[in-house]
Amino acid sequence: MTAEQLISFARGAPSLDIIDVEGLKAAAARAFDADPAGMTAYGTSVGYVPLRKWIAEKHGVSADQVIVTNGSLQADAFLFNHLVQPGDTVVVEKPTYDRTLLGLQNLGAKVHQVTLRPDGIDTDELRALLESGVRPKLAHIIPNYQNPAGITLSEQKRRDLLALAVEYGFTIFEDDPYVDIRFRGDALPSMLSMDSDNAVVHASSFTKTVCPGVRVGYLVGPAALIDAIAKKATNLYISPGMVSEAIVHQFCVSGDIERSVRTVSTALAERATVLADSLRKHIPGATFTEPDGGYFLWVDLPDDVDVDKLFPAAMKKGVAIVKGTDFLLDGGKSSVRLAFSAVTVDQIDEGVRRLAAAIDEVRA
């Protein structure tokens, strides 16, 4: 099976046809013209200062509450390494991003997964966990178009989470890289914007709205916490990538970012709809919640489908998926995550046909 023949629902990245390559080329030229000294130097551990300021203004915070990093995954790692010690308890969603689970397990954290409902994390289940005596250091929440489930956290649950964080003294880590890729519905306020108790640390990324290769993400939080993380960042790498951050800054201040968001959102809305229609047509036993935005759709297959067997069978038929078990401490044996971001519309139906054939093969 060659790369050209493979249809991949595995990677949460935009396909090349919806990346604004010309806009990025122009932004790069403007960046080198505007600030050649600043973008070619080591810079500071808090990131490219003009981009830091732009992010701060976007979120309505002071610049000393922002650190710009090499992608949001590094932002996650900085926060986890700063706050979580071996044996500390951390709450995550069930299911959640596989690299979150891996990172926390590598730190020796005690991870509790709390069920994800169609409107977000089950706050009643979380409260019961807290009332039982569990005291988490933080709760990792992906509020918009969650990876892997595609679920959005309701406004009421955002308020409930904030109240629980204040009552029980834990930090909410609002990991929000998909927020701008919205297909329908109204944007909900971030928990960061609703927070008056310094209970929230917010992360986001330009990977999903500009392109993955820029590797630019950021953290927003209390100034003292950001300063402490910046000191550790200095010791790790002196500074993040100034060239990428300067290009992203020019892309943002020019307004190109808004056009890019519209392009990506429009394309992915169509892909998500086609994927859902194809699943209903070719795999009638599958159940799923259509996302209102983002990159992912979580599919629960019939109980007699074992994803450990399905994964290699699907690969042989030329379709790549991610097993549901990757996102859970237990369970997910009949679930898969399908990313519709890197497949074109004309590939989707064929990809689902191949997946359906693989399912029939492992059930036989």
Side-chain angles (χ1 to χ4, degrees), residues 106-364:
N106 286 343
L107 287 171
K110 294 179 181 177
V111 180
H112 287 265
Q113 287 202 286
V114 176
T115 305
L116 206 57
R117 303 297 181 190
D119 60 347
I121 192 170
D122 189 328
T123 48
D124 290 335
E125 183 181 322
L126 175 57
R127 176 174 281 282
L129 184 69
L130 296 166
E131 289 176 348
S132 75
V134 172
R135 290 293 176 267
K137 181 68 67 72
L138 62 83
H140 176 267
I141 306 293
I142 307 172
N144 294 293
Y145 328 126
Q146 197 251 15
N147 181 6
I151 295 297
T152 296
L153 184 67
S154 68
E155 184 170 349
Q156 183 56 54
K157 283 192 170 179
R158 294 174 193 226
R159 298 187 187 283
D160 293 344
L161 270 174
L162 282 165
L164 288 172
V166 172
E167 182 179 352
Y168 288 94
F170 61 87
T171 296
I172 296 172
F173 180 28
E174 183 175 35
D175 196 358
D176 206 15
Y178 310 101
V179 59
D180 291 325
I181 311 300
R182 179 163 48 89
F183 310 154
R184 54 182 166 261
D186 296 322
L188 296 176
S190 67
M191 287 182 281
L192 178 72
S193 70
M194 300 161 69
D195 177 28
S196 57
D197 297 281
N198 283 337
V200 177
V201 179
H202 180 98
S204 195
S205 172
F206 296 96
T207 293
K208 310 303 180 185
T209 52
V210 179
C211 72
V214 293
R215 308 311 300 132
V216 179
Y218 59 88
L219 280 177
V220 183
L225 176 120
I226 296 299
D227 181 62
I229 289 174
K231 287 182 170 65
K232 293 181 178 180
T234 301
N235 295 334
L236 180 68
Y237 56 28
I238 302 176
S239 69
M242 294 294 107
V243 173
S244 288
E245 292 185 11
I247 293 170
V248 168
H249 174 249
Q250 286 294 332
F251 196 77
C252 291
V253 297
S254 70
D256 285 349
I257 184 84
E258 284 82 12
R259 185 179 70 244
S260 181
V261 165
R262 286 194 300 271
T263 298
V264 174
S265 298
T266 300
L268 297 196
E270 182 183 13
R271 294 174 192 185
T273 298
V274 172
L275 176 58
D277 289 345
S278 294
L279 286 167
R280 281 189 281 263
K281 180 180 179 182
H282 299 300
I283 312 176
T287 59
F288 53 88
T289 299
E290 287 191 61
D292 292 331
Y295 281 60
F296 307 107
L297 190 148
W298 178 268
V299 184
D300 291 316
L301 299 169
D303 290 343
D304 60 346
V305 179
D306 184 341
V307 292
D308 285 336
K309 296 178 181 176
L310 178 62
F311 179 82
M315 284 296 290
K316 286 181 181 177
K317 294 188 181 299
V319 61
I321 57 173
V322 183
K323 298 183 292 183
T325 49
D326 290 356
F327 306 96
L328 294 155
L329 295 174
D330 59 80
K333 293 289 287 184
S334 298
S335 302
V336 296
R337 187 196 74 176
L338 302 180
F340 45 82
S341 51
V343 285
T344 56
V345 166
D346 60 351
Q347 293 176 312
I348 291 172
D349 193 70
E350 174 60 22
V352 176
R353 284 176 185 272
R354 294 180 189 182
L355 181 60
I359 289 170
D360 289 342
E361 187 174 284
V362 300
R363 296 173 85 180

Side-chain angles (χ1 to χ4, degrees), residues 50-63:
L51 180 59
R52 186 195 198 201
K53 182 180 178 184
W54 186 90
I55 293 166
E57 290 173 352
K58 175 182 178 179
H59 289 284
V61 301
S62 61

Side-chain angles (χ1 to χ4, degrees), residues 57-113:
E57 290 173 352
K58 175 182 178 179
H59 289 284
V61 301
S62 61
D64 63 358
Q65 291 180 255
V66 177
I67 182 170
V68 193
T69 61
N70 294 320
S72 63
L73 190 60
Q74 187 175 66
D76 295 11
F78 276 152
L79 185 67
F80 291 156
N81 278 282
H82 183 70
L83 289 184
V84 179
Q85 302 297 316
D88 282 347
T89 296
V90 178
V91 166
V92 302
E93 295 157 317
K94 182 181 182 179
T96 193
Y97 183 38
D98 52 348
R99 292 181 187 271
T100 295
L101 282 179
L102 182 64
L104 290 169
Q105 288 171 324
N106 286 343
L107 287 171
K110 294 179 181 177
V111 180
H112 287 265
Q113 287 202 286

